[in-house]
Amino acid sequence: MRTSRTALVTYILIIIIGLLAALPNVLSPQQIAAMPDWLPKNQITLGLDLRGGSHLVLEVDAPALQADRLKSLAAETRTLMSTEAVRGKVQVEGDTVTVRITDPDGRARILARLREQVTQVQQVGLKGSVPDIVIQPGGDLITLSLSEAGTADRINQAIGQSVEIVRQRVDQVGVAEPTIQRVGTDRILVQLPGLQDPTRLRELLGSTAQMSFHMVAPETYGAPPPEGVSLLPDAKTGQPMPVYDRVALSGERLSDARSGFDQQTNQPIVTFRFDAVGTKQFADITKQNVGKPFAIVLDGKVLTAPVIQGPILGGSGQITGNFTIEDTVVLSALLRAGALPAPLTVIEERTVGPDLGADVINMGLYTGVIGFALVVGFMTLLYRGWGMIASVALFLNVALTIGILTFLGATLTLPGIAGIILGIGIAVDANVLINERIREESRKGVSALAALDRGFKIAYSTILDANITTLIATALLFMFGTGPVKGFAVTMVIGTAVSMFTAITVVRILMTTWVRYRKMKKINIEPLFRVVPDGSKISFMKARYFGIASSILLSLVSVGLFMKPGLNYGIDFTGGIQVEIATPQAANLGQLRSELGGLGLGEVSLQQLGGKNEVLIRVQRQEGGETAQTAAINTVRKTLAEIDPGISVERTEVVGPKVSGELARNGAIAVGLASLAMLLYIWWRFEWNFAVGAILTLALDTTKMIGFFVIMGLDFNLTAIAALLTFIGYSVNDKVVVYDRMRENIRLAKRYDLRTIIDTSINQVLTRCIFTSMTTLLAIVPMAIWGGKAVENFALPMVFGVLIATASSIFIAAPILLLLGNLAQRHQHTGTIQVESSPS
């Protein structure tokens, strides 16, 4: 079982490169700067929950974009009719533009001109191109509507243009190292490190800044405005003002905009300048309309409507109004960056203070180091020198995981730290499996090298099956998760893959080298203690009916708890506002409840956290969509400042109803698909009865986990979904190990009945199951004890889940498999395995 020189060199290179990539993360900036240039110097990127900052998700307002396109289509049609001297009526009705022309000749000419305006757009996939506008003539009417592909193409162009404009606007306010990227088909993710109150920036990003210049129409005096005229509100008074729809001069012609002060009144103003074409157009307009009011319109509101006193030939002007200095800074930044093609709505907002982020990092480091030390100590105490080899592999597992994350430029979040800590416990499973298999081979009297070879070969299949089930759960978590939850999935996927590498290659090489160096004839891997003695014959199946009945009873109770009082759904699923604050002195909950409860925001609940000056405020989801959530948090922030200026907002979360609905749906899909994928994998690798047994057990386990959330009153949010999926992966992982031994024994001992095989298999793997559970618990328990509110929704359920998964593998999954196996044999009336004949 010698390792080839090429493979050995490859393994060493992988480890060295991984360690070098991870090294900068434990060095100071000065030490990194002193390193040679050929060494990697990048550090892992910390998520906003670790370094503080704001996270915004913006969505393109598709209905507004469609309405704007229909409005412009109607204006273009009126221009065509004017050019062709055709009389008729054009109006927007719902999602169509109707053109009524009674003259047949004129209608034919306009129809031909309209068809010339149609653009072919590509459909999704390989379906070819279709017109962006659907033209349907009928009688005196011509109906224009936007095709589905045309709307999708317009949204795609709008989101691409919006990303660039958002980037320019963020640059205008000077936020360092922003992350701005497209998410999905119609959303933009904006992450802003260090920005604690994104109120002003939210307004900056949410404003379309569609500026245009229009002539003011004659006063209607309460009558409906004529065709081509709209009543727009005055930005100062809100009074309607009749304005011609036709754009006299587009805001796209602006070349610059600056905030300043009026030299006469010293009031804040915005000065602007047109480009060469805009200067000429502005000069022509002012020459031809002396004495007439000229409206400057921004996002559908009239900023100002001065009367043109004379021709303006210089191409510059100013916008006056009841502005503050901040207003003029934001407005000038908007105009310099350009107009958004459609409004962007803030549908999700999360902020974390820098102090809280630093505390989270410290918590992650402390709990991670403690968990690692406990696992290493346990393995060394249990297997002595062989345990130290496993500990070296465990260290490499953590270091290589961090190195790969750094190399990939991944972002490390709090759930990501939790994933690394959990991976420490799970990674030991492979080493326990290997040690136990080698020990079994040694007890058969085979030589040291032969025991190593056979032990690794036999354990390899089990390790592969067990880890693939974990990868299935985490891959689906990555597909359907969002934000920090994806960070957890990434670390788990990388950690699982690295643990397979270290267990199968590094541990094997180290153990083989040690055996050859010591010239061992026989390997003696005897743990310090054993849960059950070798050769034990505990009849677990005698208690099969009791185990299944107890499990079903607990699951039914959990279902009842789920129905009433039900889960404490977190803001991720209910939508609304969550604010974590710190008060200078002990928090006065009565005053806070009274002041916040009187804001008219509906149900407001307060919860005191770890200290007397830490309070969690929850505000119910507001009516009116995503914009209502944004307005509500501004009110909460303002009220908190009025109650006590010393109150600091440590963390805020705003989730709109659309996002919360999507998260709930994606979470349910992820859990369902994970269960189905594992069912199919186990069916493929084993047999149908193994797969059905695992899924039935998993359903019982999952309901108990739900009951645990209800009893403990934990928030059921995205972190809880991550815990649930991780638990599913761990539970199936544990059952695969037990099933693998059963399958092996069925092949080796066909003359024994199924019940005997199952009991024998459980006795053989019982020590491994308990040792693996203990190492996983040693890694997680420090996080559950000292992790605080930030990770309690993950750590506490996982502690419970590890205990449930281990117990169910023995007392539920195995009895169900026995019942299914006996049932199948009764139907077949034949088989190589004898049916159980003696009663329990």
Side-chain angles (χ1 to χ4, degrees):
M1 56 177 290
R2 289 183 179 277
T3 304
S4 68
R5 186 179 298 274
T6 302
L8 185 61
V9 171
T10 302
Y11 298 154
I12 293 174
L13 285 176
I14 291 173
I15 294 172
I16 291 175
I17 293 173
L19 292 176
L20 289 177
L23 181 61
N25 294 286
V26 296
L27 299 179
S28 66
Q30 295 77 12
Q31 291 172 324
I32 294 175
M35 291 170 58
D37 293 337
W38 57 271
L39 287 176
K41 298 184 178 182
N42 293 332
Q43 291 182 308
I44 197 167
T45 303
L46 298 180
L48 293 184
D49 55 349
L50 298 179
R51 57 175 171 168
S54 296
H55 163 107
L56 304 173
V57 177
L58 311 171
E59 183 179 63
V60 169
D61 191 339
L65 185 65
Q66 185 178 25
D68 182 65
R69 176 58 180 141
L70 291 172
K71 187 175 180 181
S72 65
L73 187 58
E76 292 168 5
T77 305
R78 293 191 188 100
T79 302
L80 286 176
M81 293 172 64
S82 176
T83 303
E84 295 290 332
V86 174
R87 298 176 63 84
K89 185 176 182 181
V90 181
Q91 60 184 17
V92 179
E93 297 180 353
D95 57 356
T96 63
V97 175
T98 58
V99 184
R100 184 177 297 277
I101 304 174
T102 56
D103 176 29
D105 180 62
R107 188 169 58 253
R109 282 185 285 133
I110 293 301
L111 184 59
R113 291 294 303 275
L114 286 172
R115 285 172 174 161
E116 293 175 359
Q117 306 298 317
V118 173
T119 303
Q120 296 291 320
V121 295
Q122 190 68 34
Q123 296 185 87
V124 178
L126 302 175
K127 299 179 180 179
S129 59
V130 296
D132 65 333
I133 301 172
V134 179
I135 302 176
Q136 296 176 313
D140 293 344
L141 281 179
I142 301 174
T143 304
L144 309 176
S145 60
L146 305 179
S147 68
E148 184 177 343
T151 301
D153 180 71
R154 198 163 185 84
I155 292 176
N156 183 57
Q157 293 182 21
I159 198 72
Q161 183 181 350
S162 297
V163 168
E164 295 307 315
I165 293 174
V166 166
R167 182 172 287 109
Q168 293 179 39
R169 292 184 180 183
V170 171
D171 290 342
Q172 295 284 349
V173 297
V175 178
E177 299 181 6
T179 299
I180 302 167
Q181 62 189 38
R182 180 173 180 168
V183 179
T185 58
D186 60 352
R187 292 179 183 174
I188 300 173
L189 169 65
V190 182
Q191 292 187 329
L192 308 165
L195 188 66
Q196 305 311 313
D197 184 5
T199 303
R200 180 64 63 179
L201 188 62
R202 192 190 311 115
E203 297 172 358
L204 184 70
L205 299 179
S207 174
T208 54
Q210 291 179 332
M211 188 173 183
S212 54
F213 300 83
H214 303 251
M215 297 306 301
V216 177
E219 184 62 52
T220 60
Y221 300 105
E227 184 179 338
V229 175
S230 297
L231 294 176
L232 300 182
D234 186 285
K236 304 174 189 175
T237 64
Q239 294 297 317
M241 180 181 297
V243 175
Y244 285 109
D245 292 340
R246 181 177 177 274
V247 177
L249 182 56
S250 172
E252 295 177 357
R253 293 301 175 188
L254 289 172
S255 63
D256 193 19
R258 300 288 172 185
S259 61
F261 295 91
D262 190 301
Q263 295 182 354
Q264 297 180 353
T265 64
N266 206 34
Q267 293 297 313
I269 61 171
V270 174
T271 61
F272 60 84
R273 180 175 295 278
F274 294 107
D275 60 15
V277 176
T279 297
K280 184 178 183 305
Q281 292 177 352
F282 194 45
D284 292 341
I285 293 170
T286 54
K287 285 178 184 178
Q288 298 167 11
N289 295 281
V290 174
K292 297 179 181 180
F294 189 52
I296 302 176
V297 179
L298 179 71
D299 290 344
K301 294 182 180 180
V302 179
L303 292 179
T304 183
V307 175
I308 299 174
Q309 302 296 335
I312 302 175
L313 306 179
S316 62
Q318 65 182 34
I319 304 172
T320 60
N322 188 22
F323 297 138
T324 64
I325 296 176
E326 288 184 345
D327 290 336
T328 60
V329 171
V330 171
L331 179 55
S332 60
L334 288 171
L335 298 180
R336 284 196 303 273
L340 288 170
L344 293 176
T345 304
V346 180
I347 61 174
E348 183 181 353
E349 174 190 327
R350 303 176 192 270
T351 65
V352 177
D355 293 338
L356 186 60
D359 290 343
V360 169
I361 293 175
N362 292 333
M363 177 278 301
L365 291 176
Y366 293 151
T367 57
V369 169
I370 292 173
F372 181 85
L374 289 175
V375 171
V376 168
F378 178 77
M379 288 297 293
T380 303
L381 183 66
L382 190 64
Y383 291 112
R384 293 172 293 280
W386 305 109
M388 293 181 67
I389 291 177
S391 300
V392 171
L394 192 61
F395 168 78
L396 290 176
N397 181 68
V398 175
L400 292 179
T401 299
I402 294 175
I404 292 174
L405 289 172
T406 306
F407 180 78
L408 295 177
T411 300
L412 183 64
T413 60
L414 174 58
I417 293 177
I420 294 175
I421 295 173
L422 177 63
I424 292 173
I426 294 179
V428 178
D429 180 44
N431 292 285
V432 173
L433 273 170
I434 291 168
N435 284 346
E436 289 297 311
R437 282 295 192 175
I438 293 173
R439 176 179 173 275
E440 291 178 13
E441 295 302 316
S442 294
R443 289 179 63 84
K444 295 177 182 179
V446 299
S447 65
L449 291 177
L452 280 177
D453 188 38
R454 293 171 62 177
F456 271 96
K457 283 183 178 179
I458 297 172
Y460 175 77
S461 175
T462 308
I463 293 171
L464 184 65
D465 286 336
N467 282 286
I468 285 179
T469 56
T470 303
L471 289 173
I472 288 173
T474 50
L476 287 166
L477 191 60
F478 178 81
M479 290 172 59
F480 293 97
T482 181
V485 176
K486 282 197 172 187
F488 168 79
V490 169
T491 57
M492 279 298 294
V493 168
I494 294 174
T496 302
V498 170
S499 70
M500 293 177 65
F501 167 75
T502 55
I504 296 170
T505 61
V506 176
V507 171
R508 182 169 184 160
I509 292 172
L510 291 177
M511 293 183 79
T512 303
T513 302
W514 182 249
V515 169
R516 292 181 184 279
Y517 176 76
R518 296 291 300 271
K519 297 180 180 180
M520 294 182 181
K521 300 298 182 182
K522 187 176 180 181
I523 294 180
N524 181 24
I525 303 182
E526 288 295 335
L528 182 66
F529 62 90
R530 297 197 64 80
V531 180
V532 292
D534 290 325
S536 63
K537 297 181 179 180
I538 302 173
S539 181
F540 292 97
M541 292 304 97
K542 282 187 176 180
R544 63 187 182 280
Y545 295 118
F546 175 78
I548 293 176
S550 300
S551 179
I552 292 174
L553 178 62
L554 290 175
S555 293
L556 289 175
V557 171
S558 298
V559 171
L561 291 172
F562 171 73
M563 298 176 67
K564 188 175 182 180
L567 288 167
N568 183 27
Y569 289 103
I571 189 174
D572 292 329
F573 296 149
T574 62
I577 299 168
Q578 187 167 286
V579 182
E580 186 176 329
I581 65 172
T583 57
Q585 293 84 31
N588 187 338
L589 295 182
Q591 181 187 10
L592 289 171
R593 188 175 290 110
S594 174
E595 295 287 345
L596 296 175
L599 296 177
L601 300 177
E603 182 181 351
V604 178
S605 63
L606 278 71
Q607 176 185 349
Q608 201 153 28
L609 301 178
K612 293 183 178 180
N613 63 338
E614 298 175 352
V615 180
L616 182 67
I617 303 169
R618 300 174 189 265
V619 180
Q620 73 175 48
R621 186 170 65 189
Q622 304 297 298
E623 298 293 333
E626 282 77 11
T627 54
Q629 321 301 320
T630 301
I633 192 156
N634 290 337
T635 303
V636 171
R637 281 180 175 272
K638 181 179 178 182
T639 304
L640 290 173
E642 291 173 352
I643 294 173
D644 188 344
I647 293 177
S648 62
V649 177
E650 299 294 326
R651 184 199 301 269
T652 66
E653 295 184 53
V654 183
V655 178
K658 184 173 183 179
V659 172
S660 61
E662 291 176 356
L663 294 177
R665 182 175 65 254
N666 290 344
I669 291 174
V671 173
L673 287 180
S675 301
L676 178 61
M678 292 179 189
L679 167 68
L680 295 175
Y681 181 79
I682 294 174
W683 197 326
W684 173 63
R685 289 289 291 164
F686 296 86
E687 295 179 10
W688 70 268
N689 51 340
F690 286 87
V692 174
I695 291 302
L696 289 176
T697 308
L698 194 59
L700 294 172
D701 288 354
T702 304
T703 53
K704 296 184 191 71
M705 180 70 89
I706 297 296
F708 179 80
F709 272 99
V710 177
I711 292 174
M712 297 298 293
L714 299 172
D715 281 355
F716 195 78
N717 51 21
L718 283 178
T719 306
I721 289 291
L724 193 60
L725 279 172
T726 306
F727 160 72
I728 289 173
Y730 181 87
S731 179
V732 176
N733 178 309
D734 201 67
K735 286 154 188 59
V736 164
V737 173
V738 178
Y739 282 173
D740 187 74
R741 183 56 69 99
M742 292 178 185
R743 178 178 58 180
E744 179 184 340
N745 287 334
I746 286 173
R747 292 170 178 171
L748 295 176
K750 294 181 179 180
R751 61 181 180 175
Y752 295 109
D753 65 320
L754 186 57
R755 174 180 166 181
T756 301
I757 290 175
I758 290 176
D759 273 335
T760 301
S761 300
I762 294 175
N763 278 280
Q764 290 173 342
V765 300
L766 183 60
T767 297
R768 170 264 160 200
C769 290
I770 294 177
F771 284 171
T772 297
S773 299
M774 290 179 67
T775 56
T776 306
L777 288 174
L778 288 174
I780 299 176
V781 166
M783 184 167 51
I785 296 175
W786 295 294
K789 290 286 293 183
V791 292
E792 71 173 8
N793 294 354
F794 177 86
L796 290 177
M798 279 306 302
V799 170
F800 176 77
V802 168
L803 298 175
I804 287 293
T806 304
S808 67
S809 297
I810 299 170
F811 297 106
I812 302 173
I816 290 177
L817 180 63
L818 175 61
L819 295 176
L820 290 172
N822 287 341
L823 180 64
Q825 289 178 354
R826 290 191 185 102
H827 280 289
Q828 293 173 356
H829 297 291
T830 59
T832 56
I833 303 174
Q834 298 178 11
V835 180
E836 174 190 8
S837 57
S838 59
S840 59

